Amino acid sequence: MIRKEMIAMLLAGGQGSRLGVLTQKVAKPAVSFGGKYRIIDFPLSNCINSGVDTVGVLTQYQPLRLNSHIGIGIPWDLDRNVGGVTILPPYERSKGSDWYTGTANAIFQNLEYMESYHPEYVLILSGDHIYKMDYEVMLNYHKANGADVTIAAMTVPYEEAGRFGILIADESNRIVDFEEKPEHPRSNLASMGIYIFSWKALREALIALSEVPGCDFGKHIIPYCHEKGQRIFAYEYNGYWKDVGTLSSYWEANMELIDIIPEFNLYEEYWKIYTKSDIIPPQYIAENAVVERSIIGEGTEIYGQVVNSVVGAGVMVKPGAVVRDSIVMRGTVVGENSVLEKAIVAEDVTIGDRVRAGGGEYAPSAYDPKVYQSDLVTIGERSVIPDNVAIGKNTAISGVTAPEDYPGGRLPAGDYIMKAGGVR
């Protein structure tokens, strides 16, 4: 009989709608990060670095790129005969088919997968956070407390606490109460959405709440366990952790990688971040090119200027072009004498010559003010920007655009262009 002490269930099916056009054709965990990686590389690398060699990855929204990126798990040493990585999409059952309707519902639908490993503990992870954590240390803490549930938590500023599930703990860190996104928080200890459950407690809660619509860990499973008097503990985490769920936080997390002393260090020998590496040639920096304080991916050719930016693999920055304070993802071409300032450009975008993106004053978004609320210019993947256009701040572009889409050669601040295959 196969037995695994702890298996991981990695929730990677979310759309990530707050990333706007970046997640129009790809799930948030598959979005590029740091010039070389995809967001899901971080929890997967944490698993193997922590000795967790059995990981179920629950996919749903736009899973193609995520599936092909993970493959059979070779980059993370998760290609195992027993365990390893398994992609778990929703599937047809005898009583009909169900999409995953909530975080806990998704785990419940894969009860059979978990049972096949007879685990003592189950680690629940989210596929869209940037951090390094040794889950083995958290498991030891769980065991030492004789806990039924351990929730990874970190202190956040009180003014931000309303965005999180907030934990109220006693002096031994046992959770005595909690509040889901409270208006007036009683604590600033926030749940990170990382849980270790003793298998018996998890299985019982999932079955008991299986009929609850949209069953969720924060809203349903944790309150259920609390009401039953189970031992729930907060495991305080003090390292770097970022939920890159908004355009601003995604941009900031990338920019933090290029600080002189980065808060989040990708270069540590003892805790490597693994990824699927394509076989591509080395980068090329031309004689007259200027590169300052930037990350440049393999296979990228720089003939212009790149300043304070994160540039992915296989990008071409043509002569006279300037990329400043921007994220440019793999396969994109920046045309001659074009200027990008505070832009997030997705994969395989073609930017024409003499394009100016990011200048002028800020204006609120006419498209989706909840998603677009910063100075950033956001361009979705495989978009085309014609020559000689000016694009203002807080704008969104998706699709193959033509000069006539820019009246007077301009897209004003706060405006948008959504061509075929756009978000709505």
Side-chain angles (χ1 to χ4, degrees), residues 116-136:
S116 69
Y117 291 104
H118 299 90
E120 290 178 57
Y121 308 99
V122 177
L123 171 67
I124 310 290
L125 301 172
S126 180
D128 51 12
H129 299 151
I130 304 296
Y131 67 108
K132 297 175 187 174
M133 182 190 281
D134 190 337
Y135 304 132
E136 190 173 14

Side-chain angles (χ1 to χ4, degrees), residues 25 58 75 310 312 372 400:
K25 296 174 182 170
L58 289 77
V310 174
Y372 303 99
V400 177

Side-chain angles (χ1 to χ4, degrees), residues 68-88:
S68 62
H69 179 68
I70 294 170
I72 59 170
I74 291 172
W76 304 274
D77 191 25
L78 287 169
D79 52 327
R80 306 290 178 105
N81 286 335
V82 177
V85 68
T86 306
I87 305 289
L88 299 168

